[in-house]
Amino acid sequence: MPVPSYIQDINVAKSAPPPVEKLKLEWVYGYRGKDSRNNLFILPTGELIYFIAAVVVLYNVDEQIQRHYTGHNDDIKSLSIHPDKITVATGQVAGHDRREEKPHIRIWNSLSLQTLHVIGLGHFDRAISCIAFSKADGGQHLCAIDEANEHIMSIWQWQRESKLVEVKSSTDTVLACEFHPSERNTIVSCGKGHINFWIWDRTGITKKSGIYEKYDKPRFVNCIAFASNGDVMSGDSNGNIVIWGRGTNKIVHVLPNVHEGTVFTICTSNDGVFLSGGKDRCVIKWDVNYRKLASAKIDEVFGSIRTFGRGPGSQIVIGTTKNNILTGSFETKWTPIVYGHVEELWGLATHPTLHQFITAGFDKNIFLWDALEHSVVWFKSLPESAHSAAFHPNGKIVIVGLCNGRWLALELSSQQIVSSHSDGNEQVECLAFSPDGNSLAIGSRDNMIYVYSVTEDGQKYSRIGRCIGHSSYITHVDWSADGQVLQSNSGDYEILFWNKGNCKQIATTSQLRDIDWATSNCTLGFNVCGIWPDGADGTDVNACCRAPRAHNLLASGDDFGNVNLFKYPCYQPRANCHTFVGHSSHVTNVQFVNDDSKLLSTGGKDTSILQWNVSI
Ligand SMILES: *[C@@H]1O[C@H](CO)[C@@H](O)[C@H](O)[C@H]1NC(C)=O
């Protein structure tokens, strides 16, 4: 690494303080409906409550305000609302190795966001996949199911943080558990090939499995609900709703083929009217006597119906398998209020002058978001999975790098593809325009950087050459402020420098020590080397970014789900930082908005986008 000439000597023992600025989670984009159920409710405050990654979102749609519960340190998998409608229980997966990151349940107050109890640390193995408060006894108990092989069901007196009983619930996947609303000792659970009725008292817990008799046993029983007379309803992969007699494990009635494919969810209300939703994207409203009152179908782009949230009034929200939340009614249309990516997300770029940003994911979706309105400006599907994105400095063109070596220039206003090129056939890892917009660098998985010259309007691209010299895939590039030199990092932790004009490597780095870099996306380099924690393996930090205006801050995203904020320059080894949680999987990208006031971060597998306010 060339050391800038203003550096006289470095005392490696010295410690660098963290910045005075901090990040505050302002907005969470996304919802986890793809592989998680029973996780969308409407609170008496009118707020929607749901989760994605390690954050529980409380979203007041009318006032456009979100609050966040951030007590978890890894993926949240389950959520239950206490009968008091204020207390919330959420369960998470096993995080990293530390004890406090073992799977556990947090019980908290949804008004104050105070954590009341943390239960189950050391008791659970893999994840709390289902959780339910009791109802008939005023909510004194909590039932939880561990995702590990035997799907241990445990019952807790949560206020005392004590486990009363546990039992193996099934060797197959368990998808839901619920306490009966009026029979205090009855719990129903269901999942792959089973529905079980549990009676639990001081002496123990006993199971009766549902008997299908002459009916075709479904491959999956997906959901449970309770009819107003106390009968149990289940929805299954045969598309049937099955009614089980109160207090029995016997079928009293079957509503056959109510949904094509699978019934994913049933949601009851006090008047006995209930809703069902399924793979077929249909929402059906039923009366107490199982007569269809109304039905509707949501648009294909949103996926299937995963779950319903119902408010005290007539409001209904729908969580979908493509991570959207919709609102509407049978009389009107169902329109999205929450959008999200559905697969791993890496591509992120912030607009050069506006508070807008692009995300592009493996799900082949590209979104333009507005960070002030917290809304989607537009979204579009791409021909291939995307891995990277960059704005032209004119703010009118965005480039998306795809996983097959192709890259596209899109015009923001029309969303049309104005240019399309391919460089090799491997993933486009990173993209960057020179500050004047006249050049574009494409860092590829095939170890090369392809350099293009660009017309003023950002519409036409012609290749100048290839920078050949890295022996591993290109992870990041930065341009010099004058657009003449490139620095690049690769998967084997090399830092190389290139002359843009001829694409030749610059071997004598001493002439580069005082170069002014336009950005600090490279995670390896003198001014950023302090972001590497002790014992880091070289791939632990996925991205970093310098505050573009004041150049005083450096943010990084790491494999532990953390977003970190450092002072820039950050050359003191193991510099101190502020660390912020919310993501559950690796943080794949971080970028400040143009005036340094906000930071965006993307979570890889957790598919979430978090927006942070930067302030003192
Ligand atoms: C820095 O990273 C962002 C996000 O991936 C990208 O949009 C931008 O083009 C990158 N800039 C440079 C110079 O690498």
Side-chain angles (χ1 to χ4, degrees):
M1 298 183 293
V3 177
S5 51
Y6 74 88
I7 301 286
Q8 299 307 327
D9 65 318
I10 298 183
N11 178 355
V12 290
K14 238 176 82 184
S15 78
V20 287
E21 288 84 355
K22 288 198 171 149
L23 302 179
K24 184 161 190 322
L25 186 57
E26 178 202 346
W27 206 263
V28 174
Y29 301 91
Y31 154 73
R32 184 167 183 167
K34 186 186 175 184
D35 59 355
S36 181
R37 37 205 94 218
N38 248 317
N39 61 1
L40 174 63
F41 300 90
I42 305 178
L43 294 171
T45 56
E47 291 167 304
L48 306 189
I49 180 170
Y50 56 89
F51 56 78
I52 179 166
V55 191
V56 187
V57 182
L58 298 101
Y59 178 19
N60 186 321
V61 180
D62 292 338
E63 291 174 21
Q64 281 299 303
I65 296 171
Q66 282 189 354
R67 299 189 298 137
H68 307 108
Y69 177 75
T70 53
H72 285 281
N73 47 38
D74 212 319
D75 276 308
I76 302 168
K77 277 269 177 119
S78 50
L79 170 75
S80 179
I81 312 284
H82 191 273
D84 68 13
K85 301 268 192 269
I86 292 173
T87 311
V88 176
T90 39
Q92 74 163 69
V93 304
H96 307 283
D97 303 333
R98 297 201 301 269
R99 179 179 182 270
E100 65 274 19
E101 296 180 357
K102 295 260 179 291
H104 65 271
I105 298 166
R106 307 184 79 86
I107 299 179
W108 48 281
N109 180 304
S110 61
L111 296 174
S112 66
L113 303 182
Q114 294 276 305
T115 302
L116 307 172
H117 299 279
V118 174
I119 61 176
L121 273 172
H123 292 268
F124 295 104
D125 232 24
R126 197 170 297 165
I128 292 97
S129 55
C130 310
I131 193 173
F133 277 110
S134 59
K135 299 173 200 149
D137 62 5
Q140 293 172 38
H141 297 103
L142 189 72
C143 172
I145 290 175
D146 193 333
E147 208 171 55
N149 297 345
E150 294 181 320
H151 299 94
I152 301 284
M153 173 196 271
S154 51
I155 298 171
W156 300 75
Q157 195 157 33
W158 58 271
Q159 276 156 316
R160 293 204 197 136
E161 303 183 4
S162 67
K163 181 160 67 181
L164 301 181
V165 53
E166 67 171 36
V167 60
K168 294 175 190 169
S169 82
S170 167
T171 49
D172 286 317
T173 309
V174 180
L175 298 173
C177 71
E178 292 289 348
F179 277 88
H180 195 282
S182 47
E183 308 213 352
R184 46 196 306 157
N185 295 335
T186 302
I187 296 170
V188 187
S189 67
C190 67
K192 185 175 180 196
H194 73 272
I195 176 165
N196 291 331
F197 301 86
W198 305 86
I199 304 285
W200 145 71
D201 59 30
R202 262 170 210 91
T203 61
I205 185 158
T206 54
K207 171 173 93 175
K208 280 193 272 174
S209 294
I211 301 169
Y212 276 86
E213 289 174 335
K214 63 184 192 234
Y215 298 101
D216 201 9
K217 190 169 176 187
R219 265 177 34 81
F220 282 93
V221 183
N222 294 295
C223 57
I224 310 157
F226 299 92
S228 45
N229 65 0
D231 286 351
V232 177
M233 297 192 263
S234 63
D236 63 43
S237 56
N238 289 339
N240 299 343
I241 294 179
V242 174
I243 322 292
W244 305 85
R246 177 177 188 150
T248 74
N249 56 346
K250 302 222 163 56
I251 295 176
V252 290
H253 190 52
V254 172
L255 306 177
N257 301 314
V258 298
H259 288 278
E260 212 174 291
T262 284
V263 180
F264 276 140
T265 183
I266 302 173
C267 172
T268 53
S269 67
N270 292 339
D271 56 7
V273 171
F274 67 95
L275 303 172
S276 65
K279 191 163 184 187
D280 57 4
R281 311 196 314 274
C282 289
V283 191
I284 304 177
K285 187 169 167 181
W286 304 84
D287 75 5
V288 180
N289 301 312
Y290 308 118
R291 279 188 304 244
K292 242 188 227 185
L293 295 177
S295 75
K297 195 164 185 166
I298 64 167
D299 198 282
E300 198 174 345
V301 294
F302 304 124
S304 300
I305 293 170
R306 174 60 81 199
T307 192
F308 294 110
R310 226 163 174 188
S314 58
Q315 195 195 359
I316 300 167
V317 287
I318 300 176
T320 76
T321 56
K322 288 200 178 158
N323 294 354
N324 297 109
I325 298 178
L326 315 179
T327 184
S329 68
F330 287 94
E331 293 74 39
T332 60
K333 264 183 63 154
W334 299 90
T335 51
I337 42 176
V338 172
Y339 290 88
H341 280 280
V342 242
E343 275 171 54
E344 186 150 344
L345 177 60
W346 286 79
L348 168 70
T350 47
H351 194 284
T353 54
L354 304 175
H355 281 188
Q356 293 190 339
F357 61 98
I358 286 278
T359 56
F362 284 4
D363 59 6
K364 304 184 184 171
N365 287 328
I366 176 169
F367 286 89
L368 177 66
W369 308 85
D370 189 301
L372 292 180
E373 300 283 329
H374 308 124
S375 62
V376 169
V377 184
W378 52 256
F379 67 96
K380 189 182 163 81
S381 63
L382 296 164
E384 242 311 304
S385 300
H387 189 269
S388 47
F391 274 99
H392 187 281
N394 71 12
K396 297 190 175 115
I397 298 283
V398 69
I399 305 273
V400 224
L402 306 182
C403 295
N404 60 355
R406 224 154 95 92
W407 52 271
L408 312 170
L410 270 88
E411 187 177 54
L412 246 56
S413 58
S414 65
Q415 298 136 51
Q416 293 302 312
I417 298 172
V418 295
S419 200
S420 159
H421 295 261
S422 276
D423 286 306
N425 51 16
E426 296 186 52
Q427 180 159 289
V428 177
E429 295 287 332
C430 56
L431 296 159
F433 281 97
S434 60
D436 59 11
N438 294 338
S439 315
L440 172 70
I442 310 271
S444 171
R445 184 122 204 131
D446 71 7
N447 307 356
M448 284 188 264
I449 302 165
Y450 299 86
V451 183
Y452 281 76
S453 73
V454 185
T455 54
E456 198 137 328
D457 56 8
Q459 306 239 1
K460 296 213 168 54
Y461 297 79
S462 44
R463 192 150 107 181
I464 303 175
R466 298 181 301 180
C467 303
I468 305 174
H470 273 295
S471 37
S472 180
Y473 58 96
I474 313 300
T475 57
H476 307 92
V477 293
D478 288 307
W479 285 95
S480 60
D482 64 6
Q484 295 309 307
V485 180
L486 275 165
Q487 74 172 340
S488 54
N489 290 166
S490 60
D492 55 358
Y493 327 128
E494 253 183 330
I495 311 169
L496 298 184
F497 300 90
W498 310 90
N499 179 328
K500 182 207 81 179
N502 58 12
C503 293
K504 289 271 181 307
Q505 193 185 331
I506 306 171
T508 39
T509 55
S510 56
Q511 67 190 85
L512 302 169
R513 48 194 299 197
D514 289 322
I515 237 174
D516 184 12
W517 297 103
T519 50
S520 265
N521 278 9
C522 284
T523 53
L524 302 169
F526 181 78
N527 282 322
V528 303
C529 62
I531 64 176
W532 291 89
D534 243 353
D537 79 349
T539 62
D540 289 342
V541 180
N542 297 310
C544 71
C545 164
R546 182 181 68 192
R549 184 163 295 177
H551 293 192
N552 59 335
L553 296 171
L554 184 70
S556 75
D558 67 29
D559 272 356
F560 316 108
N562 296 330
V563 174
N564 308 296
L565 193 65
F566 297 86
K567 257 185 164 154
Y568 183 89
C570 185
Y571 52 75
Q572 198 65 44
R574 296 171 301 277
N576 286 301
C577 64
H578 300 299
T579 292
F580 303 92
V581 299
H583 287 293
S584 46
S585 67
H586 49 302
V587 178
T588 50
N589 215 333
V590 285
Q591 285 293 307
F592 286 96
V593 296
N594 62 84
D595 64 1
D596 304 353
S597 62
K598 297 176 195 297
L599 180 81
L600 291 145
S601 58
T602 52
K605 290 235 160 51
D606 72 39
T607 75
S608 69
I609 307 158
L610 304 187
Q611 180 171 314
W612 310 83
N613 268 326
V614 182
S615 63
I616 293 177

